Amino acid sequence: MSDTSSPTPFDPSAGGGRHVARRVAFISLAAIALGFVMQAVIFVAKLASGAAIPAAQLFVDIAQGITWSLLVCVGVGTATSISKARPAMAGLLSMLVAPAALAVARASQKIMASLVEAAGQPAVLSVATISTLKALEYGLLGWLLARLVQRGSASALPYISVGALIGLTFGTAISVLTYRVAVAKGTPPQLPAVVSTSINEIIFPVGCAFVIYLGQLVTRSLIAGPGPQAG
C-alpha cells in the first residue's frame, strides 16, 4: 500500500544552533548588500529626477539605509528560524523588530549627519505613525514568509510575490500618506523625494523577502549536507 501521509513540514531551526547561526550570518551579509543596492537605485532615481545630492547627504542616506536593511531583514530572518516554523510567532517577532530597527536606523542617520555636518531632514510622519505602519507591514511579511518556509517552497517566485504584495500595499499607503501630510503641513515634497520614498517603500520588501528566500536555501543545503561523491 502506498503511503498517503502528508510530508513533514520543513523546520527552519533543524540542524541545531550552528545552522541557524550560519543562516543568520548569511542573511546579514545579504541584507547589507541589499542596503547598498537600494541606495544605489535611489541615488540614480534622484539624479534622473533632477536632484543635486551633496556627498555628505549621500553618506547619511547610505548609513540609514544599510542599518535599516540589516536590522529588519536579520530580524525577520531570525524570526522565521527560531520560531520552529510557527508563522504566528514569526509574525509577532517581526512586528516587534520593525519599530526597533526603524529607531536604530534613524539614530544612525542623526549620528552620521552630525559627523559629516549634513543638514538634518525633518520627518514628515510622526514616530508613532510610521512605527505602527512598519510593525504591521513587517509583522504580516514575517507571517507570510514563515508560511512559505514551513511549506518548503523551493521557488523564489512565491517569496518575491509576497514581498511585492506587501510592498505595493503598505509602500503605496505610506508614500501617499507621507505626501498628503507634507502637503497639509505646507511643505509639498519635490519630485526626487517622492520618487525615492516610493522606491524605498515599495521595492525594499521585495528585496528583503528574496534575502529570506536565499537564507532558507542555505539552511536546506546545510541540513542536506554534501551530495554523494563519484567513486
Side-chain angles (χ1 to χ4, degrees):
M1 295 179 63
S2 60
D3 184 7
T4 58
S5 60
S6 59
T8 303
F10 173 63
D11 181 0
S13 63
R18 183 176 61 180
H19 288 171
V20 173
R22 288 181 178 179
R23 182 188 185 202
V24 172
F26 175 85
I27 290 176
S28 299
L29 294 176
I32 292 173
L34 174 62
F36 275 110
V37 170
M38 287 299 304
Q39 290 306 310
V41 171
I42 291 173
F43 176 73
V44 172
K46 283 183 175 180
L47 290 180
S49 57
I53 307 174
Q57 186 59 50
L58 178 61
F59 283 120
V60 172
D61 292 342
I62 291 175
Q64 181 188 26
I66 292 177
T67 303
W68 163 254
S69 179
L70 174 63
L71 293 180
V72 76
C73 288
V74 169
V76 174
T78 302
T80 60
S81 298
I82 67 175
S83 60
K84 297 291 185 181
R86 288 194 292 267
M89 180 62 69
L92 177 60
L93 292 175
S94 300
M95 182 180 293
L96 297 175
V97 164
L102 179 65
V104 175
R106 288 192 168 184
S108 70
Q109 180 189 39
K110 292 180 180 179
I111 293 172
M112 182 60 70
S114 64
L115 290 176
V116 299
E117 298 182 353
Q121 296 180 340
V124 176
L125 300 180
S126 67
V127 174
T129 299
I130 192 64
S131 295
T132 300
L133 290 172
K134 291 295 184 182
L136 293 174
E137 178 180 8
Y138 285 91
L140 182 57
L141 179 64
W143 177 69
L144 291 173
L145 291 177
R147 287 176 61 87
L148 292 177
V149 172
Q150 184 183 52
R151 282 162 39 191
S153 299
S155 170
L157 182 59
Y159 289 83
I160 294 174
S161 299
V162 164
L165 174 64
I166 295 297
L168 287 172
T169 302
F170 285 90
T172 301
I174 292 174
S175 299
V176 171
L177 180 61
T178 300
Y179 180 82
R180 289 186 174 180
V181 170
V183 171
K185 290 181 177 180
T187 56
Q190 300 297 317
L191 178 60
V194 174
V195 170
S196 63
T197 298
S198 300
I199 290 175
N200 191 48
E201 296 294 344
I202 295 174
I203 297 180
F204 179 79
V206 180
C208 191
F210 185 66
V211 166
I212 303 305
Y213 163 74
L214 294 178
Q216 69 94 13
L217 280 187
V218 170
T219 301
R220 286 181 176 277
S221 64
L222 289 172
I223 293 174
Q229 297 181 354

